[in-house]
């Protein structure tokens, strides 16, 4: 038994070693295969095994290949990879869901000089998330799809837009400010909103998983626009599973270092 276990561990070691020396093109194909298994395989054990391999391979590929910062990874459809408009950093996010359709989010931030910051999802444990600043090891996980960059008085302002597939009944769309200190440590959340969100470090919209809520950036109006939500049961502060978009929109406009909300935006100004 011990001899058998030794050879299994030895095989896994050499398999892992060979993966770390893959070309970036070969690593991309391996990540694609693993990502497909994570999302679609019926076996929980196989999904978890593939997730561990995916996480390790992606991190090593980024660390060992300087060209990875600009490499598209186009075939890895399960991986979000978005770069800041000023090309100072790149954010990778992906997710895993269990048999009850609960999701766990994973993330890596890669700087232009190839520093890697791993993000640890604690969204299920964080209370009053709108009101606190968070760090890489205490991240409100999301699958990000947009980065915005603004400047005011030579200060950089970055915003991430993302989706947190919270549970089988509800999802969350997130407007997440992101900052870096002089040591290149990352922080999530910033007091840069005015109006009804003036006390928020981030904005989170929690809604029914049966509906699609819109949250995105419009180049036409240079604004972040989002669906308004209402309760189908006509109950104030109702459960998220009963909140759906009402086909009206509000928007945030950047002005002198703050994002300011305007209500009931005409769709013609967005598209």
């Amino acid at each position: 038994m011990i001899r058998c276990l030794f050879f299994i561990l030895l095989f896994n070691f050499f398999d892992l070693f060979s993966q770390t020396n893959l070309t970036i093109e070969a690593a991309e194909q391996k990540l694609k295969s693993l990502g497909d298994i994570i999302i679609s395989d019926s076996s929980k054990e196989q999904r978890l095994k593939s997730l561990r391999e995916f996480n390790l391979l992606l991190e090593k590929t980024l660390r060992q290949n300087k060209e990875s910062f600009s490499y598209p990874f186009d075939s890895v459809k399960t991986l979000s990879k978005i770069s800041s408009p000023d090309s100072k950093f790149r954010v990778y996010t992906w997710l895993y869901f269990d048999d009850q359709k609960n999701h766990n989010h994973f993330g890596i931030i890669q700087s232009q000089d190839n520093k890697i910051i791993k993000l640890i999802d604690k969204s299920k444990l964080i209370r009053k998330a709108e009101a606190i600043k968070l760090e890489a090891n205490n991240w409100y996980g999301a699958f990000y799809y947009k980065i915005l960059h603004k400047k005011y008085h030579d200060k950089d302002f970055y915003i991430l837009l993302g989706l947190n597939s919270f549970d089988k009944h509800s999802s969350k769309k997130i407007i997440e400010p992101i900052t870096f200190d002089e040591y290149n440590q990352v922080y999530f959340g910033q007091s840069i909103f005015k109006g009804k969100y003036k006390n928020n470090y981030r904005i989170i919209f929690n809604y029914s998983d049966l509906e699609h809520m819109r949250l995105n950036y419009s180049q036409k109006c240079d604004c972040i626009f989002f669906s308004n939500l209402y309760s189908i049961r006509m109950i104030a502060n109702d459960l998220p599973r009963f909140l759906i978009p009402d086909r009206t929109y509000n928007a945030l406009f950047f002005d002198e270092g703050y994002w300011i909300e305007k209500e009931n935006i005409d769709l013609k100004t967005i598209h």
Side-chain angles (χ1 to χ4, degrees), residues 38-103:
I38 293 167
I39 294 298
S40 62
D41 200 279
S42 60
S43 167
K44 178 181 178 180
E45 290 73 20
Q46 189 60 43
R47 293 199 307 272
L48 282 171
K49 178 178 180 294
S50 297
L51 175 66
R52 289 190 288 268
E53 291 182 33
F54 185 100
N55 293 358
L56 185 59
L57 179 57
L58 177 61
E59 182 181 351
K60 290 184 178 295
T61 299
L62 298 181
R63 289 186 186 278
Q64 296 181 0
N65 294 273
K66 291 183 179 180
E67 68 270 30
S68 64
F69 186 79
S70 57
Y71 190 78
F73 294 100
D74 283 339
S75 68
V76 190
K77 303 301 183 183
T78 57
L79 177 68
S80 168
K81 46 275 177 185
I82 52 176
S83 299
S84 63
D86 57 2
S87 298
K88 288 187 176 180
F89 65 96
R90 199 178 194 194
V91 183
Y92 303 84
T93 50
W94 63 102
L95 54 82
Y96 166 82
F97 61 92
D98 63 21
D99 292 335
Q100 285 72 47
K101 303 302 180 183
N102 295 309
H103 292 66

Side-chain angles (χ1 to χ4, degrees), residues 11-157:
F11 174 79
N12 287 339
F13 171 80
F14 282 115
D15 182 54
L16 177 60
F17 181 82
S18 66
Q19 286 187 17
T20 63
N21 289 279
L22 293 174
T23 65
I24 195 166
E25 293 82 6
E28 178 186 11
Q29 293 308 307
K30 180 65 175 176
L31 289 167
K32 175 185 182 301
S33 176
L34 292 169
D36 291 343
I37 294 171
I38 293 167
I39 294 298
S40 62
D41 200 279
S42 60
S43 167
K44 178 181 178 180
E45 290 73 20
Q46 189 60 43
R47 293 199 307 272
L48 282 171
K49 178 178 180 294
S50 297
L51 175 66
R52 289 190 288 268
E53 291 182 33
F54 185 100
N55 293 358
L56 185 59
L57 179 57
L58 177 61
E59 182 181 351
K60 290 184 178 295
T61 299
L62 298 181
R63 289 186 186 278
Q64 296 181 0
N65 294 273
K66 291 183 179 180
E67 68 270 30
S68 64
F69 186 79
S70 57
Y71 190 78
F73 294 100
D74 283 339
S75 68
V76 190
K77 303 301 183 183
T78 57
L79 177 68
S80 168
K81 46 275 177 185
I82 52 176
S83 299
S84 63
D86 57 2
S87 298
K88 288 187 176 180
F89 65 96
R90 199 178 194 194
V91 183
Y92 303 84
T93 50
W94 63 102
L95 54 82
Y96 166 82
F97 61 92
D98 63 21
D99 292 335
Q100 285 72 47
K101 303 302 180 183
N102 295 309
H103 292 66
N104 291 308
H105 297 79
F106 299 85
I108 289 177
I109 295 177
Q110 180 185 28
S111 65
Q112 194 176 33
D113 60 0
N114 215 40
K115 180 179 179 180
I116 301 299
I117 303 173
K118 295 173 65 175
L119 306 179
I120 309 300
D121 182 13
K122 297 290 182 63
S123 57
K124 298 287 196 301
L125 304 175
I126 297 170
R127 300 291 178 262
K128 298 181 179 180
E130 293 91 342
I132 56 176
K133 202 169 186 177
L134 301 170
E135 301 182 20
N137 63 355
N138 192 32
W139 170 53
Y140 202 93
F143 189 84
Y144 296 125
Y145 52 86
K146 190 72 178 178
I147 300 180
L148 306 178
H149 176 222
K150 298 293 183 181
K151 290 186 77 75
Y152 181 67
H153 286 174
D154 295 324
K155 184 178 179 180
D156 292 306
F157 293 84

